[in-house]
Amino acid sequence: MPTVGLERRMTALLAGMNAMGDYPMSLVCTEQGLLVASAGESERGEVLAGLTSLCNDILLRAIRDLAFTRVDEITLVDAALGRFVIRPLAQSRAPRLYLVVHVPRQRSWRRNTSITSRKLDQMIAPLFSPEEPPADEAE
């Protein structure tokens, strides 16, 4: 089964991205801010997950009110703390999942978050693929 050890694999992927980009914290959470996987400083995890529900509202309004077809990233910037990058995972539907990364000042993030979000999408795709009907209903 492809979902066995999914949280562990996601956490390992996040830890690798943190090491490559020198990021203190990254996580995957639901649109309501529920933590799915995280790596790095745990004390900020809940705050970052909480930002996600705010950004989910922005994403939904951009699609509804501005007719955006796809939003690939929302970034919040704090002068002292740096960036908080929030990327919706394309393969997720209900609940929508997000990659959230704390990027300190003077660090790049676009390539690392793009690669990581693609890998996360590959990991979660089986969770959101249409279920095959039972054999007796297939006809």
Side-chain angles (χ1 to χ4, degrees), residues 43-89:
E43 64 270 2
R44 286 190 201 218
E46 290 186 22
V47 172
L48 293 181
L51 288 174
T52 305
S53 62
L54 168 70
C55 289
N56 186 59
D57 291 342
I58 293 168
L59 174 89
L60 294 175
R61 291 195 64 187
I63 291 168
R64 183 191 70 210
D65 300 345
L66 303 174
F68 281 31
T69 56
R70 183 173 179 268
V71 176
D72 74 341
E73 175 179 290
I74 297 171
T75 304
L76 301 172
V77 181
D78 180 85
L81 297 173
R83 294 181 187 279
F84 297 92
V85 177
I86 300 148
R87 296 189 64 133
L89 298 180

Side-chain angles (χ1 to χ4, degrees), residues 14-26 39-41 81 83 101-109 112:
L14 295 173
M17 180 188 64
N18 289 352
M20 285 180 57
D22 198 21
Y23 311 135
M25 172 89 220
S26 62
E41 297 175 3
L81 297 173
R83 294 181 187 279
V101 183
H102 177 195
V103 181
R105 295 179 54 179
Q106 307 300 318
R107 300 235 175 46
S108 62
W109 74 93
N112 288 336

Side-chain angles (χ1 to χ4, degrees), residues 89-121:
L89 298 180
Q91 293 295 321
S92 65
R93 289 171 185 76
R96 182 175 298 278
L97 298 177
Y98 290 89
L99 168 64
V100 182
V101 183
H102 177 195
V103 181
R105 295 179 54 179
Q106 307 300 318
R107 300 235 175 46
S108 62
W109 74 93
R110 192 78 167 137
R111 183 186 220 44
N112 288 336
T113 59
S114 293
I115 291 168
T116 301
S117 64
R118 279 195 300 273
K119 288 181 180 181
L120 287 166
D121 275 331

